[in-house]
Amino acid sequence: MDNAEAAEKRDQDSHVNEAASSSCATSLSHPFVVTCDHAMTRPLDQPALLLAPTDDESIKHPCTSERRHYVNVIVVILALLILLIVQFADKGLHLHQASDNSANNATGISKILPSQRSSTMSANHISYRCKLCHNGTNTLRQYVPSAVIAGVQKGGTSALILALNKIPYIDWGGREPHILNNGPRGNLSIHERNNPKIDQCKIWQAYKKFFEKERTRNASISFIDKTPRYLMKSDVIPYRLMCAIPREMIKIIVVLRDPTDRAYSHYQMIESQRKEGNDAAFLKIDGNGTFEAAVQESFDVLKESGLFHSKTSEEKLQSWGRYTATLAFHGRAASRKKYSFISRGLYILQLQTWLDALSSYVGGIDQLFSNHLLILDHESMKENMQTTVDKVLEFVGLPQFDLPKDLPGKIHNYKPMTNSTRALLQDFYRPYNAALHELLRVHGIEIGFARRAWEEMSDKLN
């Protein structure tokens, strides 16, 4: 080929490439419509879209680099959109799935009380959603409690928190926050009734306001929310807790006491408040001021919920869901359900509803018991508070601490319960306590009164 022919060939190639580049530029003017006329530069036997790199100049596309650039941009944008959608939907999705999928969680008590999703969720068709907080996250998040002592009322939680308060890197504020039920001092603005949307920012702001006002230490510390009413309100508190506390930080502590003794202690506390004039507007418990009358009235309330007429474990859980959905712990109107002397001792029903809500959220029932839920025995705590505190500190991930020898304690000088009333309550609670033992022993937890009830039930069956 002479010089003239070579020059002519170069001019032709130049015009072809310019045309191709112009075609690509026109097509790529809209980043979501990427087209290119490769017919000008590819052999007829090659595919129209050849994205793989090649050293063969005869089949290189003049717009390959431009195509790759825009394709990569589109892929990155789509990936970011997906991540954002997952991030915003994740919390609400898990709160919903926790109730819907909980029936598949084995709990080790299927023969006595099978695992079932929260009946309240089923009955009211509520799917709780968490509105995540993105404003001042670092400032607010430091007030999220390191642990929540969720129960039980009159179970020894005050003795435990007073012991923990001896530790210089723990603060609980000196009183119960009630942030997750109706807000501090019954402030209903934090949680709207029957509203499935839970506002994480409002909860964090409430914790910040509470601990800034009530804190007793200024150093960097771990806050603890000690509100033993939480366990009882099992239809909604677990979902608020899942929204309020990041998954990896969830630490729930429950102290269990013999429900018969718990009920009597609870009654004596209310009677003492009544005699002192506290809550006088709605504190009339019964007609003659006796524990026996209060027990009967509590039984009547439970009958209204259908619990006594429930024959199967599933029906009992459904009755429990109906009962807890109507509980009101705040307000000045008279309410027999407020005190719940007897129902607060039905621990298996309360715990089962919490497990159903939380287990899927944290990765399964074993993960829940291993890392997120600590069950303590009131009897063991009374015998050795130091051992109990050691367990709590290890569970929360805080350094060990030697308690002083002269821990404060409460001495109650009220007359003992009658033998007939004690026998009545023990007979009532026995099957529930036995079921509790069946649940907890699978996870290596032994509670004295529950084990004894299980042994008594086993002896009767044999």
Side-chain angles (χ1 to χ4, degrees):
M1 181 182 297
D2 56 23
N3 293 336
E5 292 177 342
E8 183 179 356
K9 176 64 174 176
R10 286 195 296 272
D11 289 341
Q12 292 174 349
D13 292 343
S14 175
H15 289 307
V16 168
N17 289 333
E18 287 175 2
S21 298
S22 175
S23 174
C24 288
T26 301
S27 302
L28 293 172
S29 62
H30 195 305
F32 294 100
V33 181
V34 183
T35 61
C36 191
D37 185 1
H38 298 291
M40 292 178 290
T41 59
R42 66 179 177 88
L44 294 176
D45 59 347
Q46 292 294 329
L49 294 178
L50 182 61
L51 299 182
T54 176
D55 293 329
D56 189 345
E57 294 294 337
S58 67
I59 59 174
K60 268 193 172 180
H61 305 319
C63 69
T64 296
S65 59
E66 289 88 344
R67 174 189 295 281
R68 285 184 192 152
H69 171 73
Y70 283 101
V71 169
N72 289 338
V73 169
I74 293 171
V75 170
V76 170
I77 291 174
L78 290 175
L80 289 174
L81 287 173
I82 292 171
L83 286 175
L84 287 173
I85 291 171
V86 171
Q87 180 182 359
F88 281 99
D90 179 68
K91 281 283 186 179
L93 179 63
H94 277 287
L95 297 190
H96 177 70
Q97 288 178 338
S99 62
D100 287 349
N101 295 338
S102 57
N104 298 322
N105 298 326
T107 60
I109 57 169
S110 58
K111 293 183 179 179
I112 297 179
L113 192 62
S115 176
Q116 173 174 319
R117 77 187 216 168
S118 169
S119 56
T120 304
M121 296 290 286
S122 175
N124 296 338
H125 304 288
I126 298 176
S127 177
Y128 289 101
R129 297 285 173 173
C130 180
K131 179 182 178 183
L132 296 177
C133 186
H134 298 286
N135 298 323
T137 300
N138 293 333
T139 301
L140 293 175
R141 184 165 171 164
Q142 65 179 308
Y143 293 95
V144 174
S146 300
V148 173
I149 301 178
V152 297
Q153 191 176 32
K154 305 308 295 179
T157 58
S158 293
L160 175 60
I161 198 64
L162 290 176
L164 291 172
N165 206 48
K166 296 292 183 180
I167 303 173
Y169 40 85
I170 289 179
D171 198 346
W172 71 292
R175 64 184 180 90
E176 298 172 3
H178 292 278
I179 301 293
L180 298 180
N181 49 15
N182 291 328
R185 301 184 184 277
N187 181 4
L188 296 178
S189 64
I190 296 179
H191 310 293
E192 299 179 28
R193 290 188 182 277
N194 301 320
N195 188 344
K197 293 182 180 179
I198 303 171
D199 194 319
Q200 190 181 67
C201 262
K202 283 187 177 180
I203 298 176
W204 287 7
Q205 288 164 357
Y207 272 124
K208 179 177 183 292
K209 182 178 180 180
F210 175 83
F211 284 121
E212 279 186 340
K213 180 180 179 181
E214 305 294 339
R215 68 188 303 169
T216 59
R217 296 184 173 95
N218 294 322
S220 177
I221 58 173
S222 296
F223 294 110
I224 292 181
D225 178 348
K226 195 276 278 191
T227 309
R229 289 181 179 179
Y230 286 164
L231 188 72
M232 178 70 170
K233 201 71 172 72
S234 55
D235 63 315
V236 63
I237 300 297
Y239 302 96
R240 290 175 180 167
L241 184 144
M242 285 188 283
C243 181
I245 303 178
R247 191 190 323 249
E248 68 280 1
M249 291 178 59
I250 291 178
K251 299 288 182 179
I252 304 164
I253 300 169
V254 175
V255 186
L256 297 180
R257 181 183 184 182
D258 186 311
T260 298
D261 294 328
R262 193 224 67 81
Y264 194 55
S265 177
H266 188 183
Y267 172 82
Q268 293 296 339
M269 179 187 73
I270 299 300
E271 273 292 284
S272 175
Q273 292 175 349
R274 182 178 66 81
K275 291 175 181 178
E276 294 172 1
N278 297 332
D279 286 344
F282 64 99
L283 205 67
K284 186 177 181 180
I285 299 171
D286 51 68
N288 56 19
T290 66
F291 179 58
E292 287 70 24
V295 168
Q296 184 58 54
E297 189 171 37
S298 296
F299 280 149
D300 291 341
V301 172
L302 285 173
K303 287 179 182 178
E304 292 173 5
S305 70
L307 185 65
F308 285 4
H309 303 293
S310 304
K311 299 184 181 300
T312 67
S313 300
E314 180 177 337
E315 289 174 349
K316 288 184 182 297
L317 280 169
Q318 290 173 344
S319 298
W320 179 256
R322 289 191 294 271
Y323 174 76
T324 56
T326 60
L327 286 176
F329 293 139
H330 289 278
R332 310 308 299 177
S335 172
R336 293 181 300 167
K337 295 180 180 179
K338 174 182 172 64
Y339 304 106
S340 316
F341 298 115
I342 303 305
S343 59
R344 287 180 190 272
L346 299 173
Y347 306 137
I348 182 62
L349 298 179
Q350 299 168 57
L351 280 174
Q352 187 63 64
T353 312
W354 275 76
L355 298 182
D356 288 345
L358 288 166
S359 57
S360 295
Y361 182 70
V362 301
I365 193 75
D366 293 333
Q367 184 75 5
L368 176 59
F369 273 99
S370 298
N371 299 315
H372 302 285
L373 177 62
L374 178 64
I375 307 292
L376 299 172
D377 186 358
H378 174 264
E379 296 174 15
S380 300
M381 185 176 70
K382 284 185 65 176
E383 292 175 1
N384 194 327
M385 180 62 80
Q386 180 67 62
T387 300
T388 300
V389 168
D390 289 345
K391 290 181 180 179
V392 171
L393 293 176
E394 180 181 4
F395 173 67
V396 179
L398 295 174
Q400 295 296 307
F401 183 85
D402 292 332
L403 295 173
K405 302 299 182 182
D406 55 339
L407 287 174
K410 293 182 180 179
I411 299 177
H412 300 288
N413 294 317
Y414 42 75
K415 63 180 182 180
M417 189 189 320
T418 64
N419 292 335
S420 58
T421 302
R422 177 174 292 278
L424 172 68
L425 291 178
Q426 287 177 337
D427 288 343
F428 170 73
Y429 282 125
R430 187 173 291 111
Y432 296 99
N433 292 341
L436 178 67
H437 177 72
E438 283 288 317
L439 166 65
L440 298 181
R441 70 170 182 168
V442 175
H443 303 282
I445 303 170
E446 184 171 291
I447 304 297
F449 69 84
R451 176 182 51 80
R452 291 192 293 271
W454 181 82
E455 291 172 347
E456 291 168 0
M457 292 284 290
S458 299
D459 291 342
K460 287 184 178 181
L461 292 175
N462 294 332

